[in-house]
């Protein structure tokens, strides 16, 4: 893979870059938010590793600027800020995953491979995916239903993307967690249900038949209506 590492700590940057190089990956490095954003805009990468606390421009600001340009390159956030609220802020800003510091190199690589794999699951040459009255634009990462534009947050889009790839099939909460979040939540959490509920509210307009159905004791199913 060709990767971009935006990290101001020289020791951490060299540790990550050296490890990735030994695995055969090419890694460009930027030490400030401004330089990182410039590299992300000018270059083409399979994934970006982005520290949150950066000089000149904060990591979340860099991420928001990347997403504002319509760039869907997978982004793995690194940060010493590892609370639930910090992770939520990073994911809502457009991050694909969040890895608190200190971290193991093996876990970093596994998370990178997972977010890149999810993006590459799009069928080559496929730019739109239709399920009944719902259309997913895979390039713009947007959705419409019967011509009505649906505004989606990053995780909502990933959730809908997964459901459309498995339209008509039951997908479990565990499948959704592993495919979209790629790290273990508290078993008692209702994060999946909350995201599905929000997505359902956006997809089903007034007078439209529901598309996402709850399969009791199993999970969810997206029906082509």
């Amino acid at each position: 893979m060709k990767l971009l590492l935006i990290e101001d700590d020289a020791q951490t940057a060299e540790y990550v870059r050296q490890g990735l190089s030994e695995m055969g990956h090419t890694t460009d490095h930027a030490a400030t938010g401004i330089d990182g954003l410039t590299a992300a805009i000018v270059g083409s990468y399979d994934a970006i590793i982005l520290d949150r606390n950066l000089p000149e421009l904060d990591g979340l600001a860099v991420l928001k600027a990347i997403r504002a340009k319509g760039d869907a390159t997978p982004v793995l956030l690194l940060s010493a800020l590892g609370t639930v609220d910090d992770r939520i802020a990073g994911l809502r800003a457009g991050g694909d995953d969040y890895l608190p510091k200190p971290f193991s190199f093996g876990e970093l690589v596994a998370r990178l491979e997972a977010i890149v794999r999810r993006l590459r699951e799009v069928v080559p040459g496929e730019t739109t995916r239709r399920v009944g009255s719902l259309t997913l634009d895979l390039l713009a990462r947007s959705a419409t239903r019967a011509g009505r534009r649906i505004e989606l947050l990053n995780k909502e889009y990933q959730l809908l993307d997964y459901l459309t790839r498995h339209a008509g099939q039951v997908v479990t909460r565990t499948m959704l967690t592993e495919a979209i979040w790629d790290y273990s939540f508290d078993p008692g959490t209702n994060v999946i249900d909350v995201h599905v509920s929000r997505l359902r509210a956006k997809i089903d307009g007034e007078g439209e038949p529901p598309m996402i159905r709850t399969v009791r004791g199993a999970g969810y199913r997206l029906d082509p209506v």
Side-chain angles (χ1 to χ4, degrees), residues 88-102:
I88 289 173
L91 295 172
R92 285 181 171 169
D96 294 276
D97 203 352
Y98 196 108
L99 182 59
K101 295 179 177 179

Side-chain angles (χ1 to χ4, degrees), residues 2-225:
K2 183 178 181 182
L3 306 166
L4 172 61
L5 171 63
I6 309 176
E7 167 63 64
D8 66 318
D9 183 81
Q11 185 175 1
T12 300
E14 178 58 22
Y15 167 69
V16 172
R17 190 204 62 77
Q18 179 64 31
L20 292 172
S21 176
E22 291 173 356
M23 296 183 67
H25 302 306
T26 300
T27 306
D28 292 341
H29 173 234
T32 71
I34 294 294
D35 288 345
L37 178 58
T38 301
I41 292 174
V42 174
S44 177
Y45 298 95
D46 293 298
I48 298 172
I49 306 167
L50 174 63
D51 185 28
R52 272 198 62 171
N53 297 317
L54 293 167
E56 298 183 4
L57 190 63
D58 177 73
L60 290 190
V62 172
L63 177 56
K64 290 176 181 177
I66 291 172
R67 295 299 185 233
K69 292 183 64 62
D71 189 337
T73 301
V75 174
L76 172 62
L77 284 162
L78 299 179
S79 179
L81 304 173
T83 68
V84 172
D85 287 342
D86 292 324
R87 296 199 300 269
I88 289 173
L91 295 172
R92 285 181 171 169
D96 294 276
D97 203 352
Y98 196 108
L99 182 59
K101 295 179 177 179
F103 57 87
S104 74
F105 179 74
E107 183 177 9
L108 179 143
V109 171
R111 290 178 182 271
L112 272 178
E113 291 173 344
I115 61 177
V116 170
R117 182 172 62 248
R118 289 199 294 266
L119 185 67
R120 289 175 176 174
E121 282 180 344
V122 175
V123 177
E126 181 184 24
T127 59
T128 59
R129 187 181 302 130
R130 292 182 175 83
V131 178
S133 58
L134 180 71
T135 300
L136 205 61
D137 187 323
L138 305 177
L139 298 180
R141 292 171 68 87
S142 62
T144 58
R145 181 174 180 184
R148 172 177 59 85
R149 183 175 177 81
I150 303 169
E151 297 295 335
L152 299 172
L153 297 176
N154 185 53
K155 285 300 176 186
E156 292 170 345
Y157 172 84
Q158 291 182 34
L159 177 57
L160 185 57
D161 176 50
Y162 190 85
L163 288 171
T164 57
R165 280 190 276 115
H166 298 84
Q169 304 172 15
V170 175
V171 295
T172 66
R173 291 171 177 80
T174 299
M175 290 167 63
L176 291 172
T177 299
E178 292 179 349
I180 299 171
W181 281 268
D182 196 47
Y183 56 85
S184 298
F185 285 100
D186 180 341
T189 186
N190 66 341
V191 66
I192 299 293
D193 302 302
V194 169
H195 276 78
V196 170
S197 178
R198 291 174 179 171
L199 180 60
R200 181 184 280 134
K202 292 185 176 184
I203 290 177
D204 299 335
E206 186 176 354
E208 294 177 329
M211 295 194 72
I212 301 177
R213 298 185 180 277
T214 300
V215 181
R216 188 176 299 276
Y220 299 97
R221 186 182 69 238
L222 180 71
D223 290 335
V225 296

